[in-house]
Amino acid sequence: MAFTLSDTPEQWQVAQGEDLAAGGITTYRRDRVRMPSGKVQNREYLLHTGAVAVLALDDDDNVLVVKQYRHPVRRRLVELPAGLHDKRGEGETPLQAAQRELWEETDVRATHWSVLTDFYNSAGSSDEATRVYLARGISEADGELHEREDEEADMEQSWVGFDDLLGTVLAGEVCTASIVVGVLALAAARSQPGGLDALRPADAPWPARPF
């Protein structure tokens, strides 16, 4: 069989499956999966609605970041504005989710959107997938602003120079998945033929969603 340099759809037979526990965001599931050898093995993993993140870049090459407390790791983390793609059932597209999250978390809007990169957060233990958008043409949101609660109410935000942010990523000082992946993807995209203009359009297909 020839090797294909892309992720490809495939589904092994599930002999039996059950939800072990359900929370507000995730469901913990066990499937009994039949291996190519015919042997059946348990595979436990999290079902997740998926997420979107936004690398907002202004005309002076600054990136908008937020900083908020994340309880599982007991740290306040530097992140991109991001959130769940949890309104798919209401017809919300990934792009609309990203636009909503940028507005809700930072009171910012953008006129030019493109897909920066896609990734699976931890494919061995979860079906969670994240799409990172590049947003340009930045302006302050007008009209009614979003009222933030819980961790978001305590969130800080700042514009930081892209080169400075890239340095902190490479130094291991900023470590959340979407910002590491997004910053490195932006650095790589700038070095490719066509640069940022060659990025995928904002409505490009996202094979990981819906799952």
Side-chain angles (χ1 to χ4, degrees):
M1 181 182 299
F3 182 83
T4 303
L5 189 57
S6 66
D7 299 338
T8 53
E10 185 170 345
Q11 183 168 312
W12 292 359
Q13 181 186 5
V14 177
Q16 182 182 1
E18 60 178 329
D19 293 341
L20 302 177
I25 296 175
T26 59
T27 298
Y28 189 48
R29 183 170 179 81
R30 173 187 291 144
D31 286 343
R32 291 185 54 76
V33 182
R34 192 172 304 280
M35 304 289 111
S37 66
K39 186 177 180 179
V40 174
Q41 295 278 14
N42 287 338
R43 292 292 180 264
E44 290 89 17
Y45 59 100
L46 293 175
L47 297 172
H48 192 284
T49 190
V52 292
V54 183
L55 197 158
L57 188 69
D58 71 10
D59 293 339
D60 295 319
D61 212 37
N62 296 310
V63 177
L64 181 59
V65 298
V66 297
K67 194 171 186 179
Q68 65 175 314
Y69 175 69
R70 292 298 190 180
H71 185 71
V73 296
R74 308 313 199 261
R75 296 178 73 86
R76 184 179 288 269
L77 301 177
V78 177
E79 305 181 357
L80 298 179
L84 300 174
H85 184 209
D86 56 356
K87 296 186 178 181
R88 286 183 294 153
E90 302 172 23
E92 185 179 64
T93 67
L95 174 60
Q96 290 169 336
Q99 293 169 331
R100 171 176 55 81
E101 290 293 343
L102 182 63
W103 167 72
E104 288 181 354
E105 293 192 353
T106 67
D107 303 328
V108 164
R109 298 192 187 278
T111 59
H112 184 76
W113 293 78
S114 51
V115 174
L116 189 53
T117 191
D118 301 323
F119 65 94
Y120 289 104
N121 296 62
S122 182
S125 59
S126 173
D127 72 344
E128 181 179 3
T130 297
R131 167 159 281 188
V132 183
Y133 288 91
L134 176 65
R136 293 177 287 174
I138 304 298
S139 64
E140 295 293 325
D142 53 9
E144 183 179 357
L145 301 180
H146 180 69
E147 183 176 348
R148 302 183 186 101
E149 301 176 342
D150 303 324
E151 290 95 343
E152 290 186 354
D154 190 51
M155 185 184 296
E156 306 169 67
Q157 71 179 62
S158 180
W159 288 95
V160 298
F162 175 76
D163 288 342
D164 292 335
L165 184 56
L166 176 60
T168 63
V169 167
L170 295 176
E173 298 168 357
V174 170
C175 298
T176 51
S178 61
I179 199 167
V180 170
V181 173
V183 166
L184 295 179
L186 179 58
R190 284 174 158 171
S191 70
Q192 298 298 303
L196 302 186
D197 292 335
L199 291 171
R200 286 173 289 163
D203 59 353
W206 189 10
R209 288 287 177 246
F211 181 74

